[in-house]
Amino acid sequence: MSTDKTSTSLDKDPGKSPGGNGADGKASLGKIPAPVDAPAAADGAVTAVDPRLLVREQGFAGYLSEFGRKMRAGDLGSVPVIVGLLIICFVFQSLNSNFLSAENLSNISVAMVGTGMIAVGIVFVLLLGEIDLSVGSVSGVSGAIFAVLSVTHGMNEWQAVVIAIASGAVIGAIHGFFFARVGAPAFAVTLAGLLFWLGFMLQVLGSNGTINLDSDGLVSQLTTYYFSDVAAAYGLAVVAVVVFFLTSFLENRRREAAGVPSRPVSETVLRTAVLAVVAFAAAFMFNQYKGLPLALVIFLLVLVGTDFVLRRTTYGRKVFALGGSVEASRRAGINVTLIRVSVFSIAGTFAAIGGLFIASKIAAANQGAGTGDLLMNAIAAAVIGGTSLFGGRGRTWNALLGVMVITSIQYGLALEGIETPTQYMITGGVLLATVVIDSVTRKTQKTAGRA
C-alpha cells in the first residue's frame, strides 16, 4: 500500500491518527511530533516517593515511616513468618530448655533440607498461580530409582544420582505438557501424577518394598557428613557477609551512576551487620555440636542460585510476569507454553533432589517415601514462608523460612512427647492462618491501590 493511500486512510479518522498535529487532525507520517508538556498534577494529588529516596532524605527515621506505610498497605513481606519463628522459639524453649540446644538446632537444619528442596520447586509453581500435587510421589520415585540402580544393579552412585534427578525433570515436564499444551487443569494433572507415580515407585521397589543404602555412600553422606573444622562454619559466615556487602554496595553504585534511586551506604552497612550477627551466631552454634552440615550448605547454595535466576534473569522475570497475567504475558511475546512446561520440570527436578535427601536421612528407599505429610509440608513451607497462592509474589528464600517454621514445630512438639495427630492439627492451623493472612493482605493492597 502506498504512502498516499495510508495518509488518506488516516485522514478519515483524525482522532486515531498517530501523527496528527492536533489542529486539523491530519496525519504527518514520517515526522516527529512536537513535544507535549506534561499535564499539571491535580490539586491534592500525592506524588509517589521512592522508599530509598525517603530514607536518603530523612535518615533512619525514614525507615519507620516507610515501614508503617507498608504495614498499612498490607505489604507485610516476611514479617509474619519471622515473628512466628521468634514466638515458636520462645514457647518451646520455655517448655523445654533443650529446644535451642546446639544438637537440636543442628538436627533441625539437616531434617528440613529434604522438604525444603521440594518446597523450592513448589515456589516456582506457585509463582504461576498453579499447584503441583505430585511432588511427594516424584520424590519417592527418585529415591527408588537411585536405590535400585546403585544398590541392586551396582551402578556408579554419581550416575545413579544424575539419572534419578533427570527422571524428576522429565516427569515434571510431562505434567507441564498436559497442563500447558493440552490445557488440562494443573490440579487434575498433578493429582493423577500423585497416584500414578506412587504406583510406579512401588513397582520399582518390588515385593520387598525397602532397599537399604550404603551408609558410606554418596547419598547417605548428604545428611551425615559434617565439616568438623571450626574454620568451615566461620569461613562460610565470612564469605556470606562479604559477598552480600559487595553485591549490595556495587549494585547501589551502578544505580547511582545510572541516576536511579539507590539505598544509602548506611542502610547497606546495617543490613550487612544484621546478616553478620545471624551468620556468626549460627556458625558458633554448629561448632558446638558436630560442625557445619553438608546438607545445609547445599541447600543454601540452591537458594542463592534459584533466587538469582528468579530476580536477575530474563527467565525469572517471565515467570513473575506469567503469574501476574497470562494474557498480558502472551501479548508481550512470552512463550507461555514453554515457561509453564519448564516451571513444572523445575518442580519435578527439586522434588527428585529432595527425595534423595529424604532417602539419605532414613538411609533407605522404602514404600513410605513420598507419602504421609510430605506433600502437605512442602506446600505449607512455601506458603507459610510468604509465597502467594494467587501467583506473582514470592521468593525461593520463602521456602527456607517456611520449612524452618514447620520443622521447628515438629521438633518442638516431639520434645514434649506430643503425638502425630496433634502435630498435624497444629501445622494445619498454622497453614490456615498463613493463607488467611495472604488473602487479607491482597484485599488490603487492592484497597490501597497496590495490587
Side-chain angles (χ1 to χ4, degrees):
M1 182 178 291
S2 65
T3 305
D4 294 336
K5 292 182 180 180
T6 304
S7 302
T8 304
S9 174
L10 291 173
D11 289 343
K12 294 179 181 179
D13 191 359
K16 296 183 180 179
S17 172
N21 57 16
D24 55 6
K26 294 184 179 180
S28 301
L29 296 179
K31 297 181 180 180
I32 300 176
V36 180
D37 294 335
D43 293 339
V46 179
T47 304
V49 180
D50 190 285
R52 286 162 294 203
L53 289 178
L54 184 65
V55 172
R56 177 181 293 177
E57 294 174 358
Q58 301 180 6
F60 286 109
Y63 285 107
L64 296 177
S65 59
E66 175 63 14
F67 179 78
R69 184 194 64 79
K70 287 184 176 181
M71 294 300 101
R72 291 190 298 272
D75 190 3
L76 303 179
S78 299
V79 172
V81 67
I82 293 176
V83 172
L85 270 175
L86 295 176
I87 294 175
I88 289 170
C89 291
F90 175 78
V91 171
F92 285 121
Q93 179 64 17
S94 62
L95 295 175
N96 193 316
S97 59
N98 291 324
F99 180 78
L100 292 180
S101 66
E103 179 180 0
N104 190 58
L105 292 179
S106 180
N107 290 336
I108 289 175
S109 68
V110 173
M112 71 181 187
V113 173
T115 305
M117 288 289 189
I118 301 175
V120 170
I122 289 292
V123 169
F124 277 82
V125 177
L126 290 179
L127 287 175
L128 296 183
E130 302 296 338
I131 194 66
D132 190 341
L133 301 178
S134 68
V135 289
S137 297
V138 174
S139 68
V141 168
S142 171
I145 290 176
F146 170 81
V148 169
L149 292 178
S150 64
V151 178
T152 306
H153 297 288
M155 179 181 287
N156 177 273
E157 286 199 346
W158 281 103
Q159 295 177 350
V161 166
V162 172
I163 293 176
I165 296 176
S167 66
V170 172
I171 290 172
I174 293 173
H175 296 162
F177 171 81
F178 282 104
F179 164 60
R181 177 64 68 180
V182 179
F187 178 90
V189 171
T190 56
L191 179 60
L194 181 154
L195 299 173
F196 180 87
W197 299 116
L198 178 60
F200 182 79
M201 178 192 70
L202 299 178
Q203 187 71 28
V204 169
L205 289 174
S207 57
N208 186 28
T210 300
I211 300 177
N212 295 322
L213 303 182
D214 180 9
S215 59
D216 296 325
L218 172 65
V219 170
S220 293
Q221 294 205 14
L222 287 176
T223 55
T224 59
Y225 185 83
Y226 292 78
F227 297 97
S228 56
D229 192 337
V230 295
Y234 288 121
L236 180 61
V238 170
V239 170
V241 172
V242 171
V243 169
F244 176 81
F245 176 78
L246 290 179
T247 53
S248 300
F249 180 77
L250 293 177
E251 179 183 2
N252 290 335
R253 292 290 298 272
R254 287 194 296 268
R255 295 180 68 88
E256 289 177 0
V260 180
S262 62
R263 293 188 175 94
V265 177
S266 58
E267 180 183 352
T268 302
V269 172
L270 177 62
R271 289 170 175 262
T272 304
V274 172
L275 175 62
V277 171
V278 175
F280 282 97
F284 175 79
M285 179 272 297
F286 286 129
N287 285 332
Q288 300 307 303
Y289 185 51
K290 293 182 178 180
L292 181 64
L294 172 63
L296 182 62
V297 174
I298 296 175
F299 188 34
L300 292 176
L301 291 176
V302 166
L303 291 174
V304 171
T306 51
D307 183 69
F308 178 83
V309 169
L310 282 177
R311 298 199 305 122
R312 302 293 183 181
T313 65
T314 302
Y315 175 81
R317 289 191 287 271
K318 290 178 180 179
V319 172
F320 278 105
L322 196 56
S325 174
V326 175
E327 185 59 31
S329 300
R330 184 179 287 109
R331 294 186 178 187
I334 297 176
N335 190 330
V336 174
T337 300
L338 179 61
I339 297 298
R340 282 175 162 175
V341 172
S342 66
V343 164
F344 275 88
S345 181
I346 289 173
T349 301
F350 281 108
I353 295 174
L356 293 178
F357 276 92
I358 293 172
S360 173
K361 192 71 173 62
I362 63 177
N366 58 34
Q367 295 178 343
T371 60
D373 60 351
L374 178 61
L375 172 62
M376 178 197 71
N377 287 340
I379 297 176
V383 176
I384 290 173
T387 304
S388 176
L389 283 169
F390 303 96
R393 190 179 80 240
R395 296 179 61 180
T396 51
W397 286 101
N398 297 147
L400 172 62
L401 294 174
V403 77
M404 285 175 64
V405 169
I406 292 176
T407 311
S408 297
I409 291 175
Q410 291 175 339
Y411 269 68
L413 295 175
L415 286 176
E416 294 302 306
I418 298 177
E419 297 180 352
T420 302
T422 305
Q423 296 183 23
Y424 285 167
M425 289 187 287
I426 293 177
T427 305
V430 173
L431 176 58
L432 177 61
T434 305
V435 173
V436 170
I437 291 174
D438 186 28
S439 300
V440 173
T441 296
R442 285 178 58 84
K443 291 181 180 179
T444 305
Q445 290 179 340
K446 288 181 179 179
T447 303
R450 292 174 57 85

